[in-house]
């Protein structure tokens, strides 16, 4: 990884995820990836998936690629946070190729049939320029006929989850999310929340002091423009709420997440 980017564009996400890593799987224990991928993959299959080579960008602790590995996919994955990648490695050993990498300067790892980037990782990109850098890198990893899929949080998520305090108790940890956004936050805004952990009564394990999560909302029009700018053709846009059932059209208020599917544009 080049050092320049770190100087020009602070690595907020890396700092945040190095801190949250030991608590991430407990905090997201209710996220059901069999359900989510079970809903999303047919939306990709509709466009024809040429093979079973997956690149999972911003893979975190591996939750997004584990079901794919179990279904026989050949998995390559990367994340900006070494601590998150180390946790993924503990789960899969050598069954997946894992790297530490910043998606804003994504290496070419090969030619993939599917490149995906899931669970609002894209929202950690804080400008249109960073979004285009990341999308261009993902495009560069698509093999012939390969498909790209990613999700972003909707405005509704920044007006609710990012504007609320949420306490999750799991695995002996009390995890506290303090949203600093507000219920009227405007499209395209940057929303912040802090995350901290204290051990529950009778449990040991370290406390994690508050660390800031900064995410940017990306409206549909901006994402479509960014896709086009880097030579990607937007094939589908879906929205879904916590039931994970993709619906069209995307509704920034009725849905919690937006999902985009694209492929390399023919030039
Ligand atoms: C909410 S987690 C999702 C992780 C995983 N995809 C999942 O579904 O469980 C977001 C991930 O994005 C990663 N991330 C954020 N910015 C990144 C960047 N610029 N390059 C690579 N990874 C990044 C974080 O380190 C974190 O692991």
């Amino acid at each position: 990884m080049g050092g320049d980017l770190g100087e020009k564009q602070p690595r907020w996400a890396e700092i945040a995820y190095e801190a949250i890593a030991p608590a991430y799987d407990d905090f997201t224990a209710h996220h059901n990836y069999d359900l989510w991928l079970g809903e999303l993959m047919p939306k990709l299959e509709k466009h024809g998936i040429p093979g079973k080579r997956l690149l999972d960008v911003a893979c975190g602790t591996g939750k997004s690629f584990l079901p794919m590995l179990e279904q026989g996919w050949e998995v390559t994955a990367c994340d900006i946070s070494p601590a998150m990648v180390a946790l993924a490695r503990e789960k899969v050993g050598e069954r997946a190729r894992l790297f530490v990498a910043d998606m804003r300067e994504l290496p070419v790892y090969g030619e993939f049939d599917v490149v995906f980037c899931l669970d609002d990782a894209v929202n950690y990109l804080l400008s249109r320029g960073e979004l285009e850098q990341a999308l261009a890198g993902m495009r560069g990893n698509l093999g012939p006929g390969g498909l790209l899929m990613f999700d972003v949080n909707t405005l509704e998520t920044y007006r609710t989850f990012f504007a609320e305090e949420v306490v999750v108790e799991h695995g002996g940890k009390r995890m506290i999310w303090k949203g600093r956004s507000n219920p009227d936050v405007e499209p395209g805004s940057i929303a912040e929340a802090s995350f901290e952990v204290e051990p529950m009564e009778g449990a040991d394990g370290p406390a994690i002091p508050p660390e800031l999560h900064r995410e940017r909302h990306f409206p549909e029009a901006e994402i479509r423009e960014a896709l086009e700018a880097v030579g990607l053709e937007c094939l589908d846009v879906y929205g879904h709420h916590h039931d994970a059932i993709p619906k069209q059209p995307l509704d920034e208020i009725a849905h919690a997440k937006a999902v985009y599917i694209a492929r390399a544009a023919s030039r």
Side-chain angles (χ1 to χ4, degrees):
M1 251 183 301
D4 282 359
L5 189 60
E7 282 153 34
K8 279 188 265 168
Q9 297 163 303
R11 305 173 80 107
W12 303 114
E14 180 182 357
I15 295 164
Y17 276 89
E18 285 298 280
I20 200 176
Y24 185 78
D25 283 354
D26 284 314
F27 190 57
T28 60
H30 58 292
H31 293 193
N32 183 338
Y33 279 82
D34 287 325
L35 174 74
W36 197 22
L37 290 168
E39 291 290 344
L40 293 183
M41 289 309 292
K43 303 299 180 196
L44 282 180
E45 279 154 18
K46 195 183 109 181
H47 297 287
I49 305 178
K52 288 201 134 194
R53 297 165 302 177
L54 168 70
L55 174 62
D56 183 3
V57 178
C59 64
T61 62
K63 295 179 77 156
S64 40
F65 71 68
L66 280 170
M68 305 294 287
L69 206 54
E70 279 155 22
Q71 286 167 35
W73 284 69
E74 189 184 302
V75 175
T76 301
C78 65
D79 196 278
I80 198 171
S81 159
M84 296 292 274
V85 173
L87 290 165
R89 172 71 67 204
E90 274 177 27
K91 293 178 189 169
V92 297
E94 300 303 317
R95 288 190 297 140
R97 287 202 305 158
L98 300 181
F99 300 96
V100 174
D102 186 334
M103 68 171 125
R104 296 171 296 182
E105 46 181 18
L106 196 63
V108 176
Y109 291 118
E111 291 193 338
F112 295 91
D113 303 302
V114 171
V115 174
F116 67 40
C117 183
L118 294 180
D119 208 10
D120 57 312
V122 165
N123 293 106
Y124 283 88
L125 304 167
L126 297 181
S127 67
R128 167 74 173 274
E130 291 190 12
L131 175 65
E132 288 189 15
Q133 285 174 330
L135 291 177
M138 294 180 208
R139 184 190 190 283
N141 277 281
L142 287 174
L147 295 168
L148 168 65
M149 175 168 70
F150 60 92
D151 70 283
V152 286
N153 283 333
T154 60
L155 202 50
E156 176 65 4
T157 297
Y158 294 112
R159 291 180 173 176
T160 55
F161 182 57
F162 270 77
E164 292 163 359
E165 180 166 322
V166 176
V167 179
V168 175
E169 295 183 341
H170 193 270
K173 302 178 181 75
R174 179 172 298 111
M175 296 164 280
I176 305 153
W177 172 268
K178 288 183 187 161
R180 299 183 182 182
S181 180
N182 65 73
D184 305 313
V185 69
E186 292 292 322
S189 298
I190 290 178
E192 294 183 342
S194 73
F195 178 84
E196 63 192 271
V197 180
E198 49 191 52
M200 286 170 67
E201 295 70 26
D204 14 279
I208 300 176
E211 198 58 70
L212 209 56
H213 287 251
R214 253 188 206 97
E215 291 197 8
R216 186 183 187 277
H217 172 252
F218 285 102
E220 181 177 346
E222 193 175 8
I223 294 200
R224 284 182 178 275
E225 283 169 21
L227 286 168
E228 198 180 336
V230 303
L232 285 160
E233 178 192 358
C234 186
L235 299 173
D236 268 320
V237 181
Y238 295 93
H240 67 72
H241 214 273
H242 300 301
D243 59 7
I245 299 171
K247 305 244 170 67
Q248 288 176 317
L250 164 66
D251 183 328
E252 284 280 348
I253 301 304
H255 299 140
K257 281 190 180 297
V259 178
Y260 292 81
I261 296 174
R263 72 171 155 227
S266 40
R267 294 190 161 177

